[in-house]
Amino acid sequence: MPFPVQICCHLKWVSLIIWILFLNPSLSDPRTSLAHLICDDTHLTTDANFVANFVSVMEHLNLLVIQRQWGLYSIQSPPLPIFGYAQCHKDLSEEDCQLCFTEARTKLTRCVPSASGRVYLEGCFIRYDEYDFFQETVNTRYDSRSCSASLKLLSDGDMKAQFSEKVAEAVANATEMATSTRRGGMGEAEVMTSVPAAYALGQCWNTLNSTGCQACLDNAWSKVKRCLPAGEGRAFNAGCYLRYSYLDFFGNGEDNDQSALGTRRACIIGGSVLGFSSVLALFGAIIGYYIFSKRREERKKHDEVPAFVNQSNLHFKYQVLEQATDHFSSSNKLGQGASGSVFRGTLPDGSTVAVKRLLYNTKHWVDDFFNEVNSISGVQHKNLVRLFGCSIEGPETLLVYEFVPNKSLDRILFDRNSRQPLSWEQRFKIILGIAEGLAFLHGGSQVKIIHRDIKSSNILLDDNLTPKIADFGLARCAAGDRSHLSTGIAGTLGYMAPEYLLRGQLTDKADVYAFGVLALEIACGKKNNTFTDDSGSVLQNVWENYKGGTIDQVVDCSSRPKDFEGKEAPDVLQIGLVCTQASAALRPSMSEVVEMLTSKGRAIPSPEQPPFLNASVLAPTDTDSSSAMTSSATSNMHTTINF
């Protein structure tokens, strides 16, 4: 078999390829992979407010993680207080930290309704419990370790002893850095270090002082050193996390793309494999040529795809969109979401569009992805952001949307510095528009779409304050791709229906629940994740006033006209309560909601349940007609994705 000249001249790099393919399978593992999950199944809560409090704690932690990559929050109201803590490892970038937290909190929902739970991902940690554990270093009941298989490269006792010594040295360096660079016992620290062929990371939670950090990592090392001479070992303590490995698993703390990160790692590993024998190099050359040939065939197949794509007006050239956004300049960045970042772009014809850079690669499912875009682009409604098309030929996948000139609803509704607060008429127009848009998604077109992430930041407003629902569709084809972050149950805590949050059971009634939360937020002018000792959440406050016959008192004062005496606002609030009932069977459809909002003579049904109910009450009414669906949905709940 003849070999290309380039491969024969660079056998050392081909050796590197074979090393990565066969001896280093974990190099491509994302830092969002699950390392350890602990749920206290012996203590299941029956408190009716537990789910609401859990959701609130997670929402507050999410905001803190976005701001500083760690945070703590607690709700200490009886009978069951909840304390929560989250932290990313110091070598993660801000974007990777947010993605890691998103994955971790969805996995943590497996513990509900346990009174406590911990989840350790390779890059971050979340814990909730019923007591103040913030200064806890060791918990003998739950702390544990895990070990990988022994390294085959260590063929004799001397090599095993040398590797063990290097691991001990790396761990000692990591521990010293973790404890010595803290500021006043609450600061941040660079906690990673490495020696040749051994790497270690010691991460203490920021609530510990230097003494507590030292004690925790010493305890962790006493556990994990029993893994040697295994190639990897991890210790999961209450106050810290310790990992050693023969692989360089560190991040650089910057928002670099995955290709740059892979190149950096390959260069590091390359230095350790240049001494391989000529026999291995020759074998690597053969395998390398085989891989080269396969990739050339795949590239040839991929090059054929634009042939049918170019025939559609949904196709955009990557170079055109790159220039339209000024090479994705930060000055044109409109926002950042779980699925990617959005940029303002000006096309050559002068029209303005919004361009979304997706965080995943679609090369393996181009046909399905384009067909999905083709279907969604046909869904047009005055209250939906229109999808114009996509670009699938460049180094990343881009979506092109209608540009909505005004801000998102959350920036206008909750901005206390806004020059002109929304009037009640404007709020009602927005609520009705969102309802009509959702009703159209659920049954007004040939493609039925469940949004799954209705919230104020996904509602855009045009110059006339007409609401337009963004980020819908594209869920089906995305689920098959494993190169991007799989966020488990897609959605935002605080807007997620109980049956979806706890079981993964997804129907259009999940959107109805989220709409109900959003409608109450718009009417009251407050976010649902705002918990205070005086009033509780928005849903709880509205429910209590509804029972007390004073529901009109919760309407945002800034939206009240002087002659505010109509029945419209109380009706909207009652509709919101009906939509947020814990049982999906008791919620109306979105088409029925539109009728309630537009037909003045139609009676509004009374809510039969409060919005806050424990998961145990969901079974009787929700599972009779969908028991078969529940099992399949639960098995797939960790493979779905939201855009």
Side-chain angles (χ1 to χ4, degrees), residues 296-306:
R296 183 172 57 185
E297 293 177 4
E298 291 179 1
R299 190 180 301 111
K300 182 178 179 181
K301 292 180 180 179
H302 177 66
D303 290 340
E304 296 174 356
V305 173

Side-chain angles (χ1 to χ4, degrees), residues 117-128:
R118 301 189 215 172
V119 59
Y120 298 81
L121 298 192
E122 297 291 8
C124 60
F125 167 81
I126 303 181
R127 177 183 177 184
Y128 76 92

Side-chain angles (χ1 to χ4, degrees), residues 154 157-173 194-200 221 225 228-230 244-245:
L154 304 180
D158 290 340
M159 293 181 65
K160 294 178 180 178
Q162 292 176 12
F163 177 71
S164 298
E165 291 176 359
K166 292 182 181 296
V167 169
E169 181 181 350
V171 170
N173 291 338
S194 66
V195 297
Y199 304 87
W221 171 235
K225 68 181 179 182
L228 292 169
Y244 80 82
S245 177

Side-chain angles (χ1 to χ4, degrees), residues 118 120 125 137-139 143-144 205 215-217 219-221 223 235-242:
R118 301 189 215 172
Y120 298 81
F125 167 81
T137 58
V138 176
N139 186 317
D143 293 350
S144 61
W205 312 142
C216 188
L217 289 176
N219 179 275
W221 171 235
K223 295 186 182 75
F236 312 100
N237 277 7
C240 62
Y241 169 83
L242 179 65

Side-chain angles (χ1 to χ4, degrees), residues 303-314:
D303 290 340
E304 296 174 356
V305 173
F308 80 86
V309 173
N310 283 326
Q311 300 175 3
S312 171
N313 58 4
L314 299 175

Side-chain angles (χ1 to χ4, degrees), residues 3 9 27 38 52 64 76 88 178 197 213 227 243 250 278 286 340 361 388 459 474 506 516 555 562 597 632:
F3 301 114
C9 294
L27 176 63
I38 306 173
L64 292 171
Q76 302 183 31
C88 292
C213 180
C227 294
R243 176 186 179 185
F250 300 149
S278 58
I286 296 173
N361 190 344
F388 290 142
I459 306 299
L474 299 178
L506 178 63
V555 177
K562 294 182 179 179
L597 292 170
S632 61

